[in-house]
Amino acid sequence: METKIYQVEDLNADMLDKADVYGDAAARQAVDAARAAVGRAAGILRGGGLVAFPTETVYGLGADAFNEAAVRKVYAAKGRPQDNPMIVHIARASDVGALTSALSPDMVKLIECFWPGSLTLIVKKRADVPAAVTGGLDTVAVRMPDDPVAAELIRQAGTPVAAPSANLSGKPSPTKAAHVIRDLGGRIDVILAGGECRVGIESTVLDLSGETPVILRPGAVTADQIADILGKEVETDPALLRRDVPDGLTGADAAAAPKAPGMKYRHYAPNAEMLVLEGRRDRVKNEILRLKALNEKLGRRVGTMLFEEKSFTEAAHGFFSELRDLDDAGTDLILAGALSENDGLGFAVMNRMMKAAGYNIIKV
Ligand code: AMP
Ligand code: MG
């Protein structure tokens, strides 16, 4: 299949400001050209095709959420297990009514506070939301992304867009257009090539379908922020706190399986072996340098991920991209310094790091 690549980087907040607020003619032209390209992609979505698009978290691979055949093609293109449900993306908060009729006061508060943004809400689904989207569950995951290209695409498509991350299943999530082209070029209809994703890790997934809200996947919107807005306690899925969960749970372990079905699959796996070192910053750095030298003497190619003075925001932004770069460089061993999990975003990055490393962690 030929994959069309449309450049839409000019449809961003800065250019929109220049065009709409300052009346800059060149910016106007660039923005309009990008919008027209997004419009062509929206037509493909309406026709049952697959379109990859940037969001503020990671790139998504979208299909019309109400077209079952299109949704099935997403699983095939990614090589994704069929029982791993997708997030449905909408362009206006009011469109949530097409997916659920259970609008609780908690949900309304969270929507008002965090949408558009990187918070996905799990709610009871309406009967007509296809089972292919929800992996057969009676709940649906919904989010309104905070990105002008994503918003324009969904708006022009005129339908909610079901979209998992636009990577091959098992690869790190894509945060640059080049990652998507590499993974899905030749397998989907269109790639909207925008800029780098601002946040860089996937959205927070919050289950609102039970009595107590439960974080199923940590992200940039933290449990504390959510608890503040709701004025009540927010639980974290116990599976997120474990340090000894091998990927691909089977047998007895399945009883303790996490509620987000996606968590049972091996995720974000680099080709290289990966080891996380945790402890005081100076000790971690010294130990990483010592292990690096040792392994290099043995002829292994060693890459390091040391965030040191970087903020958690920067660590999140660069995390998946660095993993891909290390793989591309033919790295045999990745030595990574753990981040503090006291910060909500640090916890979210550590969740990805632990999965990437297959829970291979040592204290120093
Ligand atoms: P991705 O599409 O790669 O961002 O992954 C979407 C995540 O949302 C996966 O971890 C899914 O398991 C999770 N998810 C989507 N829908 C549901 C749902 N109805 N219940 C629980 N988790 C969900
Ligand atoms: Mg994914």
Side-chain angles (χ1 to χ4, degrees):
M1 170 191 283
E2 190 212 342
T3 301
K4 297 195 182 76
I5 298 170
Y6 299 153
Q7 295 297 333
V8 294
E9 213 171 330
D10 287 332
L11 188 53
N12 63 53
D14 272 358
M15 289 291 272
L16 281 166
D17 239 25
K18 278 190 194 149
D20 294 339
V21 182
Y22 298 101
D24 181 315
R28 171 87 276 144
Q29 216 178 11
V31 164
D32 288 349
R35 266 213 184 106
V38 173
R40 290 198 292 282
I44 305 250
L45 273 184
R46 277 196 304 275
L50 302 189
V51 175
F53 60 98
T55 80
E56 84 279 21
T57 58
V58 303
Y59 274 76
L61 173 59
D64 175 354
F66 285 100
N67 180 335
E68 238 184 298
V71 168
R72 289 196 191 289
K73 285 197 285 184
V74 171
Y75 289 102
K78 277 184 62 101
R80 181 181 174 102
Q82 301 252 352
D83 62 342
N84 193 357
M86 298 177 191
I87 295 171
V88 180
H89 296 71
I90 56 179
R92 278 176 307 249
S94 55
D95 292 344
V96 76
L99 303 162
T100 184
S101 32
L103 269 179
S104 66
D106 279 356
M107 188 176 186
V108 173
K109 279 188 210 161
L110 294 173
I111 288 176
E112 276 177 359
C113 191
F114 295 110
W115 281 7
S118 51
L119 177 64
T120 295
L121 301 173
I122 309 280
V123 290
K124 281 262 170 300
K125 84 174 186 76
R126 287 178 71 127
D128 56 349
V129 176
V133 170
T134 64
L137 298 171
D138 63 354
T139 51
V140 62
V142 197
R143 179 170 102 85
M144 176 177 168
D146 183 18
D147 179 283
V149 172
E152 186 71 21
L153 176 71
I154 302 162
R155 199 181 60 72
Q156 291 205 43
T159 177
V161 173
S165 48
N167 52 300
L168 286 175
S169 198
K171 290 281 174 199
S173 290
T175 58
K176 298 179 182 176
H179 301 156
V180 183
I181 294 169
R182 165 83 71 95
D183 277 18
L184 299 178
R187 303 171 75 95
I188 62 177
D189 298 288
V190 176
I191 295 171
L192 291 176
E196 275 185 43
C197 300
R198 176 167 49 82
V199 177
I201 58 171
E202 308 89 338
S203 59
T204 303
V205 175
L206 183 73
D207 186 355
L208 283 181
S209 68
E211 288 269 295
T212 310
V214 186
I215 303 264
L216 301 183
R217 177 172 78 186
V221 174
T222 66
D224 285 350
Q225 289 174 312
I226 295 167
D228 267 359
I229 296 301
L230 296 183
K232 64 160 89 159
E233 216 185 313
V234 171
E235 281 176 19
T236 296
D237 191 296
L240 297 175
L241 305 171
R242 290 177 60 177
R243 281 291 179 87
D244 55 347
V245 189
D247 284 314
L249 298 174
T250 52
D253 277 346
K259 212 176 161 202
M263 290 186 206
K264 74 182 180 202
Y265 298 107
R266 185 157 162 76
H267 258 186
Y268 328 121
N271 298 324
E273 179 192 341
M274 184 163 169
L275 175 66
V276 178
L277 294 94
E278 184 182 42
R280 257 176 38 197
R281 191 194 282 179
D282 53 335
R283 285 206 200 135
V284 165
K285 185 172 183 185
N286 287 339
E287 188 60 9
I288 283 183
L289 293 176
R290 193 182 74 80
L291 287 175
K292 182 174 191 297
L294 202 67
N295 277 276
E296 281 174 347
K297 262 196 202 138
L298 299 172
R300 303 183 82 196
R301 268 188 239 178
V302 183
T304 60
M305 281 183 116
L306 256 177
F307 296 103
E308 297 194 277
E309 281 83 37
K310 279 193 196 161
S311 66
F312 293 114
T313 309
E314 287 172 293
H317 178 77
F319 180 72
F320 285 125
S321 192
E322 277 189 45
L323 273 188
R324 281 182 181 257
D325 288 347
L326 289 166
D327 263 349
D328 289 348
T331 308
D332 301 307
L333 173 66
I334 299 171
L335 300 168
L339 298 177
S340 158
E341 293 180 288
N342 297 329
D343 180 278
L345 188 54
F347 179 67
V349 176
M350 278 306 288
N351 167 261
R352 276 66 175 182
M353 195 187 282
M354 295 302 290
K355 283 184 178 178
Y359 297 87
N360 195 8
I361 183 164
I362 55 168
K363 285 205 187 335
V364 296

